[in-house]
Amino acid sequence: MNHEMSTGWGLIGASTIARQHMVDAIRAQSGHYVQAVMSSKQERADTFASECGIPAAYESVDALLADPKVQVVYISTTNELHFEQVIAVAAAGKHVLCEKPLALRQEDAIAMVQACRKAGVVMATNHHLRNAATHRKMRELIQQGAIGKPLFARVFHAVFLPPHLQGWRLDKPQAGGGVILDITVHDIDTLRFTLNSELVEVVGMSQSASMAKEGLEDGVMAVMRFDNGVVAQIHDAFTVKHAGTGIEYHGESGSLIGRNVMTQQPIGEVLLRNADGEHVVPVAHESLYARGVAAFCDAVKGRGEPAATAEDGVKSLVGALAVVNACKTGARQAITYQTI
Ligand code: NDP
């Protein structure tokens, strides 16, 4: 590729998600390439760069941002670092796609959005499930009235955290560990997207069964109400090997069943069940991450919005933080969004 004519990305974080999904998702965009990677350890940055064929490797955010070939940044460090790193990227006048959860506090996430607005750069949140053909199809069908008035949703997202990820998520509260900020935040974003509705209130109960330490949770069940009246239940865990994943929407005249759809892979199926019986709804699977990056690249060029905007990232974080508080206090949490 002629790099003079194309957009260079800088990766902040030599992470698993960058290695397994995002480098390929960026490279799938015509006119985009990965110019640099940054790690807190130069050696890890060098290894990541050489294994992934990335030209430059840096040990600090400042060094990466000083690279004139880096025009767009993707952040996938541990969760407590996203705040200061997005602020730095905005100050350098570069566009930023940030991992979820955006931050550990609503105020910080809002400050990130405001810094990007002030700098005139695009900020987006990497909530991948919005890009799944299955979830998009369920959203479309609900909007078309395929299940009548939606009444309930059920989310099945209890999985087993693979050994190579059994690190900070389980024992570093200060890094934003725990299943709620890791998985529940995605569920809430998916429900907000599919129902086209905002959270009103939540209750929840968490579990620290076997993996999580330091007061963190490795399982949760929560119930939440949306402003269209839908009541949703979620079940998330790091500790469950054989449950399978799914999502269901039950309305007055029909039900949508998404099987094997709470996943990073372009897989799963959607069933519509109503008075006519049960049928599989065809979906055209595509990479969730490549589609998300494509929407972000379009937004950078002034064409449309990212799949999950910065504001979506804030609202989904606020919902997840409310689940954390509901579990801690045992009390119902009303959702209050501060002005962004
Ligand atoms: P990792 O644990 O793989 O990486 C997080 C950080 O840990 C890296 O930035 C790196 O720091 C450090 N690290 C990685 N490998 C090692 C190692 N072998 N030894 C020491 N340190 C290491 O996390 P994930 O990739 O799972 O998650 C990163 C972010 O992405 C999180 O915010 C998470 O919530 C989000 N995420 C989002 C997903 C999505 O689908 N949207 C899916 C998975 C994660 P350094 O950069 O300093 O080297």
Side-chain angles (χ1 to χ4, degrees):
M1 177 186 297
N2 177 358
H3 287 180
E4 299 304 314
M5 303 289 293
S6 47
T7 303
W9 285 63
L11 313 180
I12 296 183
S15 68
T16 308
I17 176 79
R19 185 188 289 269
Q20 291 186 343
H21 294 280
M22 294 304 286
V23 167
D24 285 348
I26 293 164
R27 288 179 173 156
Q29 315 303 322
S30 124
H32 290 256
Y33 73 103
V34 183
Q35 159 63 17
V37 59
M38 171 264 158
S39 162
S40 57
K41 297 270 181 306
Q42 184 68 49
E43 194 189 337
R44 205 157 53 234
D46 290 339
T47 306
F48 191 103
S50 82
E51 287 175 2
C52 299
I54 297 170
Y58 300 110
E59 200 182 20
S60 75
V61 170
D62 286 350
L64 177 120
L65 293 175
D67 183 335
K69 290 185 177 159
V70 170
Q71 293 154 276
V72 171
V73 173
Y74 166 62
I75 296 178
S76 63
T77 47
T78 49
N79 302 332
E80 83 287 14
L81 298 173
H82 300 169
F83 167 55
E84 63 192 57
Q85 291 170 340
V86 165
I87 300 284
V89 175
K94 304 191 186 204
H95 305 285
V96 59
L97 172 59
C98 184
E99 269 307 339
K100 46 47 72 172
L102 282 186
L104 304 186
R105 304 187 318 156
Q106 176 170 195
E107 302 85 287
D108 293 347
I110 289 174
M112 293 154 77
V113 180
Q114 288 173 340
C116 289
R117 270 193 202 155
K118 200 169 149 216
V121 297
V122 174
M123 174 182 169
T125 315
N126 204 29
H127 278 300
H128 62 297
L129 291 169
R130 285 171 176 250
N131 296 295
T134 48
H135 293 289
R136 288 189 291 118
K137 179 57 78 180
M138 287 187 274
R139 180 179 202 257
E140 186 187 308
L141 288 169
I142 290 170
Q143 281 181 359
Q144 288 169 355
I147 62 169
K149 180 179 163 44
L151 300 174
F152 296 102
R154 304 196 285 205
V155 183
F156 308 91
H157 207 163
V159 295
F160 188 73
L161 189 66
H164 68 279
L165 293 182
Q166 292 179 19
W168 57 271
R169 282 178 173 82
L170 300 175
D171 61 7
K172 287 217 169 58
Q174 68 278 18
V179 77
I180 300 172
L181 286 184
D182 199 48
I183 296 183
T184 309
V185 71
H186 278 310
D187 300 346
I188 290 173
D189 191 71
T190 306
L191 291 167
R192 290 183 51 249
F193 169 73
T194 307
L195 295 168
N196 200 19
S197 185
E198 295 297 345
L199 259 186
V200 176
E201 56 182 347
V202 308
V203 293
M205 207 174 271
S206 63
Q207 184 181 69
S208 299
S210 53
M211 285 184 164
K213 302 186 182 77
E214 307 295 335
L216 289 174
E217 75 291 339
D218 51 28
V220 64
M221 284 185 164
V223 177
M224 49 196 72
R225 189 189 311 279
F226 283 81
D227 64 11
N228 63 354
V230 167
V231 173
Q233 69 176 40
I234 60 148
H235 175 203
D236 300 335
F238 287 150
T239 48
V240 174
K241 285 186 175 151
H242 304 293
T245 74
I247 200 162
E248 298 176 356
Y249 297 94
H250 301 287
E252 278 180 345
S253 62
S255 289
L256 278 168
I257 316 292
R259 285 195 185 128
N260 205 11
V261 295
M262 306 308 284
T263 165
Q264 298 178 296
Q265 306 303 329
I267 55 173
E269 66 171 359
V270 176
L271 301 175
L272 176 62
R273 216 181 271 152
N274 55 23
D276 298 332
E278 178 179 289
H279 11 260
V280 175
V281 181
V283 293
H285 289 296
E286 62 181 304
S287 160
L288 286 62
Y289 295 99
R291 189 178 185 280
V293 173
F296 175 73
C297 294
D298 281 348
V300 165
K301 293 206 176 91
R303 294 195 297 258
E305 288 213 313
T309 62
E311 291 79 2
D312 284 316
V314 176
K315 288 185 171 165
S316 298
L317 169 69
V318 169
L321 291 172
V323 175
V324 170
N325 284 335
C327 294
K328 266 193 195 136
T329 61
R332 181 187 300 224
Q333 305 288 308
I335 306 295
T336 44
Y337 296 121
Q338 293 163 21
T339 310
I340 305 176

